[in-house]
Amino acid sequence: MTRIEELEKMARNLEPDSGQRQSISKEADAYVHQFLENLPQMPGYQTGEVNRLKSVEISEEGKPFDELMGILKYEVDKMGINSASGNHMGYIPGGGLWTSAVADMLAASTNRYAGIAYSSPGAVEIENQMIRWMASIIGYPEAAHGNLTSGGSIANLVAIKAARDFHQVNSDNVKKSVIYFTEQVHHCIHKALNTTGLHEAVLRAVPLNENYQMDVCALKEQVQHDVEHGLNPFLVIATAGTTDTGAVDPLDEVANIAEANDMWFHVDAAYGGFFILVGDMKNKFKGIERSHSVVMDPHKTLFVPYGSGVVLIRDREALLTSNAHTAAYMKDAYGLDDIDPADAGPELSRHFRGLRMWLPLHLHGLAPFKAALEEKLLLCRYFYEEIGTMGFETGASPELTVAIFRIPENNGNTLNEQLVKELHKDGRVFFSSTTIGGKLWLRCAIVSFRTHLREIDGALTMIRENALKVATLDRSTNSDKAQSAVRFEILIKET
Ligand SMILES: *Cc1c(COP(=O)(O)O)cnc(C)c1O
């Protein structure tokens, strides 16, 4: 009994009293507000070391909160890509709504268990409502269902596994089964194929058209060819908003081919999906409603913080068959009508993810989300036109909010490699780069809800300054390249 009492005294340190809680909250809250106030002035990218953090060890005794906050402030929230910033235009930015952070605080404090309805009917209802809402956006029937995941990677995994299980692809027939996608699919698709054993299937890279979309004629021919050769085409993966260029594959035409050949049609709309909310964008996504599964990332184009993806499956039986398992110790939970999130995905215990979408959607209403998405579309068009006027070579006209550009150079990528380096060194705005068909391209991805006209103009100024530096540097050598650099320099100076 003495030991129990001793231990209780120590263990109770895990529950700060009301005064301590308020003091910690106040300090954390002040930090967050300061961070958000400073955000517009903060660079998009900064390099540095995390030495102090490395030397902080977990000890028996606790440390003061302000000491830990200091480490966060200088060693975590400063270095690297500032992904909360509107000056983040690399990869696919997120942003992170503060109102979602409030929801996370609430969800974590009450610690509702959102895995099974029996444990928290309210939390599960919120999760399922969010799934039904997203399913309705893409035009799925009411019988569709899905699962809130940690992001697009796991969501794609769940969808691909559902396709595998629905078409009963297993060790007996995998080597004759065929999957179609383009080289522009996100690399998480390859991870998912690996995890599901489908990397052993026949993988067909369907050629791209000049807009980096899936060439549907080539797809049709390839499928026909494979059928004639006794193979089993069962899955086609399209992307609605590729990471490299924001291209949307011709979904309706892919749906026709999938339907005619009894294939599962999966759409990875992790980045692009929510643009369907913008009035005249529906057409671009025509055919998505005919798919068997769709992935979207609320932590991208719904602006909630990282840790939020969704998989939507048209046929809920296919989802449940692929995921539901029973266990003796779970027996009290069975027999309810609501679909348990635990039966619709690989996870059992998990964060109550629905709340971080539900709260902002209800608090702000849908209108500002739609406005932000349409604003990004127009900002990207503006950026694309301006950067072209400056003399940069540009890729295909952006379908969504990714524009690619490069210094025009015919042989190799040296100037552009130099430009990427300079832009990263500068850091005011963060851009990333990619290679398509041997050419190095810089990408401008406008996705953060904090990116507005001011940030785009700042980005254009910064690009111009650094491009001028690169072009001037290159003048020294007497070559073709030097000549094109001079021509580019004149153009960029004139704008
Ligand atoms: C971001 C992205 C993914 C991966 O999603 P995560 O949320 O990063 O796991 C997959 N596909 C596409 C098209 C994406 O843009």
PDB file of all heavy atoms in Angstrom, residues 92 149-156 184-189 239-244 268-272 295-297 299-300 306-309, ligand 1:
ATOM      1  N   ILE A  92       3.699  20.068 -53.030  1.00  0.00           N
ATOM      2  CA  ILE A  92       2.298  20.482 -52.920  1.00  0.00           C
ATOM      3  C   ILE A  92       2.143  21.032 -51.504  1.00  0.00           C
ATOM      4  O   ILE A  92       2.147  20.260 -50.547  1.00  0.00           O
ATOM      5  CB  ILE A  92       1.321  19.294 -53.141  1.00  0.00           C
ATOM      6  CG1 ILE A  92       1.508  18.636 -54.510  1.00  0.00           C
ATOM      7  CG2 ILE A  92      -0.116  19.754 -52.952  1.00  0.00           C
ATOM      8  CD1 ILE A  92       1.015  19.415 -55.710  1.00  0.00           C
ATOM      9  N   THR A 149      -7.837   8.875 -43.560  1.00  0.00           N
ATOM     10  CA  THR A 149      -6.499   8.309 -43.342  1.00  0.00           C
ATOM     11  C   THR A 149      -5.524   9.415 -42.935  1.00  0.00           C
ATOM     12  O   THR A 149      -5.895  10.581 -42.849  1.00  0.00           O
ATOM     13  CB  THR A 149      -5.977   7.663 -44.639  1.00  0.00           C
ATOM     14  OG1 THR A 149      -5.813   8.700 -45.615  1.00  0.00           O
ATOM     15  CG2 THR A 149      -6.946   6.628 -45.171  1.00  0.00           C
ATOM     16  N   SER A 150      -4.283   9.027 -42.748  1.00  0.00           N
ATOM     17  CA  SER A 150      -3.250   9.998 -42.368  1.00  0.00           C
ATOM     18  C   SER A 150      -2.838  10.862 -43.553  1.00  0.00           C
ATOM     19  O   SER A 150      -2.211  11.893 -43.388  1.00  0.00           O
ATOM     20  CB  SER A 150      -2.031   9.249 -41.845  1.00  0.00           C
ATOM     21  OG  SER A 150      -1.569   8.359 -42.841  1.00  0.00           O
ATOM     22  N   GLY A 151      -3.164  10.429 -44.773  1.00  0.00           N
ATOM     23  CA  GLY A 151      -2.781  11.189 -45.958  1.00  0.00           C
ATOM     24  C   GLY A 151      -3.075  10.402 -47.217  1.00  0.00           C
ATOM     25  O   GLY A 151      -3.699   9.325 -47.175  1.00  0.00           O
ATOM     26  N   GLY A 152      -2.588  10.929 -48.331  1.00  0.00           N
ATOM     27  CA  GLY A 152      -2.869  10.326 -49.625  1.00  0.00           C
ATOM     28  C   GLY A 152      -2.191   8.978 -49.807  1.00  0.00           C
ATOM     29  O   GLY A 152      -2.716   8.102 -50.503  1.00  0.00           O
ATOM     30  N   SER A 153      -1.025   8.796 -49.213  1.00  0.00           N
ATOM     31  CA  SER A 153      -0.296   7.541 -49.424  1.00  0.00           C
ATOM     32  C   SER A 153      -1.085   6.352 -48.883  1.00  0.00           C
ATOM     33  O   SER A 153      -1.255   5.340 -49.573  1.00  0.00           O
ATOM     34  CB  SER A 153       1.079   7.602 -48.755  1.00  0.00           C
ATOM     35  OG  SER A 153       1.825   8.669 -49.275  1.00  0.00           O
ATOM     36  N   ILE A 154      -1.552   6.475 -47.651  1.00  0.00           N
ATOM     37  CA  ILE A 154      -2.307   5.369 -47.049  1.00  0.00           C
ATOM     38  C   ILE A 154      -3.666   5.230 -47.738  1.00  0.00           C
ATOM     39  O   ILE A 154      -4.170   4.123 -47.943  1.00  0.00           O
ATOM     40  CB  ILE A 154      -2.461   5.566 -45.526  1.00  0.00           C
ATOM     41  CG1 ILE A 154      -1.079   5.602 -44.846  1.00  0.00           C
ATOM     42  CG2 ILE A 154      -3.326   4.473 -44.908  1.00  0.00           C
ATOM     43  CD1 ILE A 154      -0.244   4.352 -45.031  1.00  0.00           C
ATOM     44  N   ALA A 155      -4.245   6.361 -48.140  1.00  0.00           N
ATOM     45  CA  ALA A 155      -5.533   6.314 -48.836  1.00  0.00           C
ATOM     46  C   ALA A 155      -5.389   5.549 -50.153  1.00  0.00           C
ATOM     47  O   ALA A 155      -6.232   4.709 -50.501  1.00  0.00           O
ATOM     48  CB  ALA A 155      -6.055   7.726 -49.072  1.00  0.00           C
ATOM     49  N   ASN A 156      -4.315   5.813 -50.893  1.00  0.00           N
ATOM     50  CA  ASN A 156      -4.074   5.076 -52.136  1.00  0.00           C
ATOM     51  C   ASN A 156      -3.854   3.587 -51.866  1.00  0.00           C
ATOM     52  O   ASN A 156      -4.317   2.738 -52.624  1.00  0.00           O
ATOM     53  CB  ASN A 156      -2.860   5.666 -52.874  1.00  0.00           C
ATOM     54  CG  ASN A 156      -3.241   6.832 -53.779  1.00  0.00           C
ATOM     55  OD1 ASN A 156      -4.070   6.694 -54.678  1.00  0.00           O
ATOM     56  ND2 ASN A 156      -2.664   7.997 -53.539  1.00  0.00           N
ATOM     57  N   GLN A 184       3.644   9.652 -64.620  1.00  0.00           N
ATOM     58  CA  GLN A 184       3.358  10.809 -63.780  1.00  0.00           C
ATOM     59  C   GLN A 184       2.599  10.448 -62.492  1.00  0.00           C
ATOM     60  O   GLN A 184       2.265  11.332 -61.719  1.00  0.00           O
ATOM     61  CB  GLN A 184       2.578  11.867 -64.570  1.00  0.00           C
ATOM     62  CG  GLN A 184       3.439  12.627 -65.580  1.00  0.00           C
ATOM     63  CD  GLN A 184       4.397  13.600 -64.908  1.00  0.00           C
ATOM     64  OE1 GLN A 184       4.008  14.434 -64.105  1.00  0.00           O
ATOM     65  NE2 GLN A 184       5.681  13.496 -65.205  1.00  0.00           N
ATOM     66  N   VAL A 185       2.313   9.175 -62.246  1.00  0.00           N
ATOM     67  CA  VAL A 185       1.651   8.830 -60.970  1.00  0.00           C
ATOM     68  C   VAL A 185       2.575   9.185 -59.816  1.00  0.00           C
ATOM     69  O   VAL A 185       3.800   9.182 -59.939  1.00  0.00           O
ATOM     70  CB  VAL A 185       1.257   7.327 -60.803  1.00  0.00           C
ATOM     71  CG1 VAL A 185       0.085   6.954 -61.654  1.00  0.00           C
ATOM     72  CG2 VAL A 185       2.443   6.407 -60.966  1.00  0.00           C
ATOM     73  N   HIS A 186       1.970   9.475 -58.693  1.00  0.00           N
ATOM     74  CA  HIS A 186       2.742   9.775 -57.490  1.00  0.00           C
ATOM     75  C   HIS A 186       3.499   8.517 -57.052  1.00  0.00           C
ATOM     76  O   HIS A 186       2.997   7.403 -57.205  1.00  0.00           O
ATOM     77  CB  HIS A 186       1.779  10.221 -56.391  1.00  0.00           C
ATOM     78  CG  HIS A 186       2.467  10.835 -55.210  1.00  0.00           C
ATOM     79  ND1 HIS A 186       2.973  10.078 -54.183  1.00  0.00           N
ATOM     80  CD2 HIS A 186       2.738  12.122 -54.923  1.00  0.00           C
ATOM     81  CE1 HIS A 186       3.522  10.890 -53.294  1.00  0.00           C
ATOM     82  NE2 HIS A 186       3.395  12.134 -53.713  1.00  0.00           N
ATOM     83  N   HIS A 187       4.679   8.701 -56.481  1.00  0.00           N
ATOM     84  CA  HIS A 187       5.478   7.515 -56.145  1.00  0.00           C
ATOM     85  C   HIS A 187       4.859   6.670 -55.035  1.00  0.00           C
ATOM     86  O   HIS A 187       5.233   5.520 -54.837  1.00  0.00           O
ATOM     87  CB  HIS A 187       6.931   7.891 -55.820  1.00  0.00           C
ATOM     88  CG  HIS A 187       7.103   8.647 -54.547  1.00  0.00           C
ATOM     89  ND1 HIS A 187       6.812   9.983 -54.415  1.00  0.00           N
ATOM     90  CD2 HIS A 187       7.527   8.245 -53.335  1.00  0.00           C
ATOM     91  CE1 HIS A 187       7.067  10.366 -53.181  1.00  0.00           C
ATOM     92  NE2 HIS A 187       7.500   9.336 -52.502  1.00  0.00           N
ATOM     93  N   CYS A 188       3.888   7.222 -54.320  1.00  0.00           N
ATOM     94  CA  CYS A 188       3.223   6.411 -53.283  1.00  0.00           C
ATOM     95  C   CYS A 188       2.426   5.271 -53.916  1.00  0.00           C
ATOM     96  O   CYS A 188       2.137   4.279 -53.250  1.00  0.00           O
ATOM     97  CB  CYS A 188       2.352   7.272 -52.381  1.00  0.00           C
ATOM     98  SG  CYS A 188       0.809   7.790 -53.113  1.00  0.00           S
ATOM     99  N   ILE A 189       2.080   5.400 -55.202  1.00  0.00           N
ATOM    100  CA  ILE A 189       1.387   4.301 -55.897  1.00  0.00           C
ATOM    101  C   ILE A 189       2.323   3.090 -55.968  1.00  0.00           C
ATOM    102  O   ILE A 189       1.912   1.959 -55.715  1.00  0.00           O
ATOM    103  CB  ILE A 189       0.962   4.738 -57.326  1.00  0.00           C
ATOM    104  CG1 ILE A 189      -0.053   5.895 -57.268  1.00  0.00           C
ATOM    105  CG2 ILE A 189       0.435   3.560 -58.135  1.00  0.00           C
ATOM    106  CD1 ILE A 189      -1.423   5.550 -56.752  1.00  0.00           C
ATOM    107  N   THR A 239      -4.702  10.015 -62.597  1.00  0.00           N
ATOM    108  CA  THR A 239      -4.407  11.066 -61.625  1.00  0.00           C
ATOM    109  C   THR A 239      -5.199  12.317 -61.998  1.00  0.00           C
ATOM    110  O   THR A 239      -5.214  12.711 -63.160  1.00  0.00           O
ATOM    111  CB  THR A 239      -2.899  11.387 -61.614  1.00  0.00           C
ATOM    112  OG1 THR A 239      -2.162  10.164 -61.506  1.00  0.00           O
ATOM    113  CG2 THR A 239      -2.537  12.282 -60.433  1.00  0.00           C
ATOM    114  N   ALA A 240      -5.855  12.901 -61.016  1.00  0.00           N
ATOM    115  CA  ALA A 240      -6.567  14.163 -61.249  1.00  0.00           C
ATOM    116  C   ALA A 240      -5.787  15.246 -60.512  1.00  0.00           C
ATOM    117  O   ALA A 240      -6.042  15.534 -59.339  1.00  0.00           O
ATOM    118  CB  ALA A 240      -8.003  14.073 -60.753  1.00  0.00           C
ATOM    119  N   GLY A 241      -4.784  15.790 -61.201  1.00  0.00           N
ATOM    120  CA  GLY A 241      -3.884  16.751 -60.571  1.00  0.00           C
ATOM    121  C   GLY A 241      -2.568  16.078 -60.239  1.00  0.00           C
ATOM    122  O   GLY A 241      -2.338  15.659 -59.103  1.00  0.00           O
ATOM    123  N   THR A 242      -1.691  15.942 -61.255  1.00  0.00           N
ATOM    124  CA  THR A 242      -0.407  15.285 -60.990  1.00  0.00           C
ATOM    125  C   THR A 242       0.490  16.229 -60.189  1.00  0.00           C
ATOM    126  O   THR A 242       0.332  17.452 -60.236  1.00  0.00           O
ATOM    127  CB  THR A 242       0.320  14.920 -62.305  1.00  0.00           C
ATOM    128  OG1 THR A 242       0.546  16.119 -63.049  1.00  0.00           O
ATOM    129  CG2 THR A 242      -0.489  13.941 -63.123  1.00  0.00           C
ATOM    130  N   THR A 243       1.420  15.631 -59.472  1.00  0.00           N
ATOM    131  CA  THR A 243       2.307  16.412 -58.613  1.00  0.00           C
ATOM    132  C   THR A 243       3.231  17.294 -59.451  1.00  0.00           C
ATOM    133  O   THR A 243       3.447  18.456 -59.129  1.00  0.00           O
ATOM    134  CB  THR A 243       3.134  15.460 -57.729  1.00  0.00           C
ATOM    135  OG1 THR A 243       2.236  14.508 -57.155  1.00  0.00           O
ATOM    136  CG2 THR A 243       3.855  16.192 -56.636  1.00  0.00           C
ATOM    137  N   ASP A 244       3.755  16.763 -60.550  1.00  0.00           N
ATOM    138  CA  ASP A 244       4.698  17.515 -61.368  1.00  0.00           C
ATOM    139  C   ASP A 244       4.075  18.754 -62.002  1.00  0.00           C
ATOM    140  O   ASP A 244       4.641  19.841 -61.941  1.00  0.00           O
ATOM    141  CB  ASP A 244       5.245  16.612 -62.495  1.00  0.00           C
ATOM    142  CG  ASP A 244       6.582  15.995 -62.107  1.00  0.00           C
ATOM    143  OD1 ASP A 244       7.126  16.374 -61.050  1.00  0.00           O
ATOM    144  OD2 ASP A 244       7.085  15.148 -62.864  1.00  0.00           O
ATOM    145  N   ASP A 268      -6.425   9.034 -58.395  1.00  0.00           N
ATOM    146  CA  ASP A 268      -5.669   9.704 -57.351  1.00  0.00           C
ATOM    147  C   ASP A 268      -5.862  11.215 -57.521  1.00  0.00           C
ATOM    148  O   ASP A 268      -5.242  11.846 -58.361  1.00  0.00           O
ATOM    149  CB  ASP A 268      -4.186   9.329 -57.456  1.00  0.00           C
ATOM    150  CG  ASP A 268      -3.345   9.992 -56.369  1.00  0.00           C
ATOM    151  OD1 ASP A 268      -3.920  10.712 -55.518  1.00  0.00           O
ATOM    152  OD2 ASP A 268      -2.108   9.804 -56.364  1.00  0.00           O
ATOM    153  N   ALA A 269      -6.767  11.754 -56.699  1.00  0.00           N
ATOM    154  CA  ALA A 269      -7.061  13.189 -56.743  1.00  0.00           C
ATOM    155  C   ALA A 269      -6.598  13.830 -55.441  1.00  0.00           C
ATOM    156  O   ALA A 269      -7.233  14.751 -54.923  1.00  0.00           O
ATOM    157  CB  ALA A 269      -8.550  13.423 -56.975  1.00  0.00           C
ATOM    158  N   ALA A 270      -5.476  13.308 -54.905  1.00  0.00           N
ATOM    159  CA  ALA A 270      -4.991  13.764 -53.591  1.00  0.00           C
ATOM    160  C   ALA A 270      -4.843  15.282 -53.579  1.00  0.00           C
ATOM    161  O   ALA A 270      -5.301  15.946 -52.653  1.00  0.00           O
ATOM    162  CB  ALA A 270      -3.662  13.096 -53.262  1.00  0.00           C
ATOM    163  N   TYR A 271      -4.229  15.803 -54.617  1.00  0.00           N
ATOM    164  CA  TYR A 271      -4.051  17.255 -54.692  1.00  0.00           C
ATOM    165  C   TYR A 271      -5.232  17.929 -55.386  1.00  0.00           C
ATOM    166  O   TYR A 271      -5.737  18.960 -54.929  1.00  0.00           O
ATOM    167  CB  TYR A 271      -2.725  17.561 -55.410  1.00  0.00           C
ATOM    168  CG  TYR A 271      -2.708  18.830 -56.232  1.00  0.00           C
ATOM    169  CD1 TYR A 271      -2.924  20.075 -55.642  1.00  0.00           C
ATOM    170  CD2 TYR A 271      -2.460  18.785 -57.601  1.00  0.00           C
ATOM    171  CE1 TYR A 271      -2.917  21.232 -56.410  1.00  0.00           C
ATOM    172  CE2 TYR A 271      -2.441  19.933 -58.362  1.00  0.00           C
ATOM    173  CZ  TYR A 271      -2.675  21.160 -57.772  1.00  0.00           C
ATOM    174  OH  TYR A 271      -2.666  22.294 -58.528  1.00  0.00           O
ATOM    175  N   GLY A 272      -5.727  17.342 -56.486  1.00  0.00           N
ATOM    176  CA  GLY A 272      -6.678  18.054 -57.334  1.00  0.00           C
ATOM    177  C   GLY A 272      -8.138  17.995 -56.911  1.00  0.00           C
ATOM    178  O   GLY A 272      -8.924  18.863 -57.284  1.00  0.00           O
ATOM    179  N   VAL A 295      -9.017   9.142 -54.183  1.00  0.00           N
ATOM    180  CA  VAL A 295      -8.263   9.622 -53.023  1.00  0.00           C
ATOM    181  C   VAL A 295      -8.215  11.144 -53.055  1.00  0.00           C
ATOM    182  O   VAL A 295      -7.989  11.733 -54.113  1.00  0.00           O
ATOM    183  CB  VAL A 295      -6.825   9.050 -53.052  1.00  0.00           C
ATOM    184  CG1 VAL A 295      -5.898   9.832 -52.147  1.00  0.00           C
ATOM    185  CG2 VAL A 295      -6.848   7.590 -52.649  1.00  0.00           C
ATOM    186  N   MET A 296      -8.465  11.764 -51.907  1.00  0.00           N
ATOM    187  CA  MET A 296      -8.289  13.214 -51.798  1.00  0.00           C
ATOM    188  C   MET A 296      -7.506  13.510 -50.515  1.00  0.00           C
ATOM    189  O   MET A 296      -7.525  12.727 -49.573  1.00  0.00           O
ATOM    190  CB  MET A 296      -9.646  13.919 -51.750  1.00  0.00           C
ATOM    191  CG  MET A 296     -10.491  13.685 -52.992  1.00  0.00           C
ATOM    192  SD  MET A 296     -11.657  15.016 -53.280  1.00  0.00           S
ATOM    193  CE  MET A 296     -13.004  14.516 -52.260  1.00  0.00           C
ATOM    194  N   ASP A 297      -6.833  14.655 -50.519  1.00  0.00           N
ATOM    195  CA  ASP A 297      -6.042  15.048 -49.348  1.00  0.00           C
ATOM    196  C   ASP A 297      -6.563  16.359 -48.762  1.00  0.00           C
ATOM    197  O   ASP A 297      -6.187  17.434 -49.224  1.00  0.00           O
ATOM    198  CB  ASP A 297      -4.567  15.248 -49.753  1.00  0.00           C
ATOM    199  CG  ASP A 297      -3.679  14.088 -49.338  1.00  0.00           C
ATOM    200  OD1 ASP A 297      -4.150  13.193 -48.604  1.00  0.00           O
ATOM    201  OD2 ASP A 297      -2.495  14.085 -49.734  1.00  0.00           O
ATOM    202  N   HIS A 299      -5.494  17.675 -46.296  1.00  0.00           N
ATOM    203  CA  HIS A 299      -4.341  18.453 -45.819  1.00  0.00           C
ATOM    204  C   HIS A 299      -3.621  19.189 -46.956  1.00  0.00           C
ATOM    205  O   HIS A 299      -2.618  19.846 -46.720  1.00  0.00           O
ATOM    206  CB  HIS A 299      -3.387  17.643 -44.932  1.00  0.00           C
ATOM    207  CG  HIS A 299      -2.649  16.513 -45.586  1.00  0.00           C
ATOM    208  ND1 HIS A 299      -2.175  15.455 -44.854  1.00  0.00           N
ATOM    209  CD2 HIS A 299      -2.293  16.261 -46.852  1.00  0.00           C
ATOM    210  CE1 HIS A 299      -1.559  14.607 -45.662  1.00  0.00           C
ATOM    211  NE2 HIS A 299      -1.616  15.083 -46.882  1.00  0.00           N
ATOM    212  N   LYS A 300      -4.143  19.064 -48.157  1.00  0.00           N
ATOM    213  CA  LYS A 300      -3.633  19.902 -49.247  1.00  0.00           C
ATOM    214  C   LYS A 300      -4.698  20.949 -49.563  1.00  0.00           C
ATOM    215  O   LYS A 300      -4.648  22.053 -49.069  1.00  0.00           O
ATOM    216  CB  LYS A 300      -3.290  19.054 -50.463  1.00  0.00           C
ATOM    217  CG  LYS A 300      -2.025  18.218 -50.242  1.00  0.00           C
ATOM    218  CD  LYS A 300      -1.781  17.257 -51.364  1.00  0.00           C
ATOM    219  CE  LYS A 300      -0.492  16.467 -51.124  1.00  0.00           C
ATOM    220  NZ  LYS A 300      -0.490  15.228 -51.893  1.00  0.00           N
ATOM    221  N   TYR A 306      -1.308  18.754 -41.671  1.00  0.00           N
ATOM    222  CA  TYR A 306      -0.894  17.427 -42.123  1.00  0.00           C
ATOM    223  C   TYR A 306      -1.494  16.342 -41.242  1.00  0.00           C
ATOM    224  O   TYR A 306      -1.663  16.513 -40.038  1.00  0.00           O
ATOM    225  CB  TYR A 306       0.630  17.304 -42.109  1.00  0.00           C
ATOM    226  CG  TYR A 306       1.255  18.143 -43.204  1.00  0.00           C
ATOM    227  CD1 TYR A 306       2.236  19.077 -42.908  1.00  0.00           C
ATOM    228  CD2 TYR A 306       0.838  18.009 -44.518  1.00  0.00           C
ATOM    229  CE1 TYR A 306       2.794  19.860 -43.901  1.00  0.00           C
ATOM    230  CE2 TYR A 306       1.382  18.783 -45.521  1.00  0.00           C
ATOM    231  CZ  TYR A 306       2.363  19.707 -45.200  1.00  0.00           C
ATOM    232  OH  TYR A 306       2.891  20.478 -46.193  1.00  0.00           O
ATOM    233  N   GLY A 307      -1.781  15.233 -41.905  1.00  0.00           N
ATOM    234  CA  GLY A 307      -2.349  14.088 -41.199  1.00  0.00           C
ATOM    235  C   GLY A 307      -3.781  13.813 -41.627  1.00  0.00           C
ATOM    236  O   GLY A 307      -4.509  13.146 -40.907  1.00  0.00           O
ATOM    237  N   SER A 308      -4.187  14.332 -42.807  1.00  0.00           N
ATOM    238  CA  SER A 308      -5.570  14.130 -43.246  1.00  0.00           C
ATOM    239  C   SER A 308      -5.683  13.778 -44.717  1.00  0.00           C
ATOM    240  O   SER A 308      -5.506  14.625 -45.578  1.00  0.00           O
ATOM    241  CB  SER A 308      -6.405  15.390 -42.990  1.00  0.00           C
ATOM    242  OG  SER A 308      -6.801  15.435 -41.649  1.00  0.00           O
ATOM    243  N   GLY A 309      -5.989  12.521 -44.976  1.00  0.00           N
ATOM    244  CA  GLY A 309      -6.323  12.089 -46.327  1.00  0.00           C
ATOM    245  C   GLY A 309      -7.659  11.370 -46.277  1.00  0.00           C
ATOM    246  O   GLY A 309      -8.190  11.104 -45.198  1.00  0.00           O
TER     247      GLY A 309
HETATM  248  C1  LIG B   1       0.495  14.406 -52.153  1.00  0.00           C
HETATM  249  C2  LIG B   1       0.090  13.363 -53.093  1.00  0.00           C
HETATM  250  C3  LIG B   1       0.109  12.016 -52.729  1.00  0.00           C
HETATM  251  C4  LIG B   1       0.668  11.543 -51.412  1.00  0.00           C
HETATM  252  O1  LIG B   1      -0.125  11.961 -50.370  1.00  0.00           O
HETATM  253  P1  LIG B   1       0.455  12.158 -48.886  1.00  0.00           P
HETATM  254  O2  LIG B   1      -0.682  12.846 -48.232  1.00  0.00           O
HETATM  255  O3  LIG B   1       1.682  12.995 -49.005  1.00  0.00           O
HETATM  256  O4  LIG B   1       0.723  10.824 -48.334  1.00  0.00           O
HETATM  257  C5  LIG B   1      -0.356  11.095 -53.637  1.00  0.00           C
HETATM  258  N1  LIG B   1      -0.792  11.463 -54.841  1.00  0.00           N
HETATM  259  C6  LIG B   1      -0.825  12.747 -55.243  1.00  0.00           C
HETATM  260  C7  LIG B   1      -1.320  13.093 -56.607  1.00  0.00           C
HETATM  261  C8  LIG B   1      -0.376  13.746 -54.372  1.00  0.00           C
HETATM  262  O5  LIG B   1      -0.404  15.020 -54.762  1.00  0.00           O
END
